[in-house]
Amino acid sequence: MKFMHMSLLLAACMVAGCNATGSSSGAQGRPGTDATVAVADTFATPSGKKIVITPIKHGSLEINYNGLEFQIDPVGKGVEPATDYSRFRKADYILVTHEHFDHLDPAAITAVSKPSTVLVTNARCAAKLGQGTVMKNGDRRTLAPGITVEAVPAYNTTPGHTQFHPKGRDNGYVLGLDGFNIYIGGDTEDIPEMARLKNIDVAFLPVNQPYTMTPIQLRRAAIMVHPRVLYPYHYGLTDTATIREELKGLKLDLRLRNFK
């Protein structure tokens, strides 16, 4: 058993690049395709505050910053495996990118909320939920001292796919935590607005056509965003070996996690 545990930790470090920006806290889930694993990664802000990023699945992730809890697109039963959000710490902030069932789950939001939780959404999500702080593309808010969020575009550009995520409707987010910037792409292709993003420390970029990007588009997006650490996410049935191959030669820390 001890040998198996050490082997899993070694596999996690090989994928995560444990000596690169941030560190891996160890395996927390079963191995996935192409040796992907669910691990929580720890980073530090410029002033030394702690950020822990934990993948959950698909487009869902958890961020803990200096004791504050962020949930991104929490989804319980709508995406397998089912996630019981009543077992999570209550969120201080919830960010929802758009209304599709694999990103917006009212039951999961309720389960992880407390009276003081701040819910940030686009207009369509707020209308469906009957609540939420609405942000549209280009809006920027200060949530608390040292914590900012900017809503950025997320849309399709490929002919025949633009109905999935029309321009101007859905959000990506740039979450600023004490000078540490996390870009959450949402459902998007490699749109030109990505080139305007600056000083991105960690990026979550989706890669599952026809709804988001191909691995080739992911490479173009990574070049525009130029994050220090890149998590391909929302990748569905995309071969993660193909993702790894397509991103060869880029100067970034590629972290493949269980984001099917």
Side-chain angles (χ1 to χ4, degrees):
M1 291 294 291
K2 186 178 292 185
F3 172 77
M4 290 176 64
H5 179 67
M6 288 301 293
S7 297
L8 183 56
L9 288 178
L10 178 59
C13 285
M14 289 173 66
V15 173
C18 294
N19 293 324
T21 305
S23 61
S24 298
S25 66
Q28 293 189 338
R30 65 188 186 280
T33 306
D34 190 33
T36 57
V37 289
V39 299
D41 289 340
T42 301
F43 302 88
T45 71
S47 70
K49 293 184 174 68
K50 184 178 178 180
I51 297 173
V52 179
I53 298 177
T54 305
I56 297 173
K57 61 186 178 188
H58 196 60
S60 304
L61 61 135
E62 176 186 41
I63 300 171
N64 187 280
Y65 160 66
N66 203 35
L68 294 172
E69 191 74 10
F70 294 77
Q71 286 289 343
I72 314 301
D73 285 350
V75 174
K77 296 179 181 179
V79 175
E80 294 296 332
T83 303
D84 183 359
Y85 275 92
S86 69
R87 301 178 63 182
F88 284 68
R89 290 169 290 190
K90 299 302 183 184
D92 296 285
Y93 302 95
I94 300 173
L95 306 183
V96 179
T97 59
H98 66 290
E99 67 197 71
H100 290 163
F101 75 93
D102 53 337
H103 295 265
L104 174 64
D105 180 350
I109 289 171
T110 298
V112 82
S113 292
K114 56 187 177 180
S116 61
T117 298
V118 175
L119 172 64
V120 176
T121 74
N122 68 352
R124 294 280 288 264
C125 289
K128 286 177 177 288
L129 294 168
Q131 62 172 321
T133 298
V134 174
M135 295 185 69
K136 63 181 185 299
N137 295 173
D139 285 351
R140 189 176 188 274
R141 288 181 178 269
T142 297
L143 299 178
I147 303 175
T148 61
V149 61
E150 180 182 2
V152 296
Y155 60 94
N156 286 105
T157 57
T158 299
H161 297 176
T162 55
Q163 74 278 13
F164 297 135
H165 306 96
K167 186 174 183 178
R169 188 191 71 183
D170 303 338
N171 288 339
Y173 295 106
V174 176
L175 183 62
L177 303 173
D178 188 38
F180 188 98
N181 296 314
I182 301 171
Y183 172 40
I184 300 148
D187 278 9
T188 188
E189 293 188 54
D190 53 330
I191 55 177
E193 291 89 343
M194 288 179 176
R196 302 174 192 167
L197 302 178
K198 304 298 180 187
N199 302 316
I200 300 298
D201 294 289
V202 172
F204 291 85
L205 293 174
V207 52
N208 68 322
Q209 273 281 359
Y211 304 107
T212 64
M213 291 188 275
T214 65
I216 292 172
Q217 288 177 301
L218 177 66
R219 180 183 179 89
R220 294 199 296 258
I223 290 170
M224 285 191 284
V225 176
H226 194 59
R228 289 195 293 156
V229 178
L230 171 61
Y231 293 87
Y233 83 144
H234 197 297
Y235 57 76
L237 298 178
T238 304
D239 184 356
T240 52
T242 302
I243 294 173
R244 191 190 299 277
E245 182 66 25
E246 194 61 50
L247 295 178
K248 273 186 177 179
L250 297 187
K251 294 182 178 180
L252 52 77
D253 180 354
L254 172 62
R255 303 196 181 189
L256 286 167
R257 299 293 188 258
N258 200 358
F259 275 120
K260 287 186 178 179

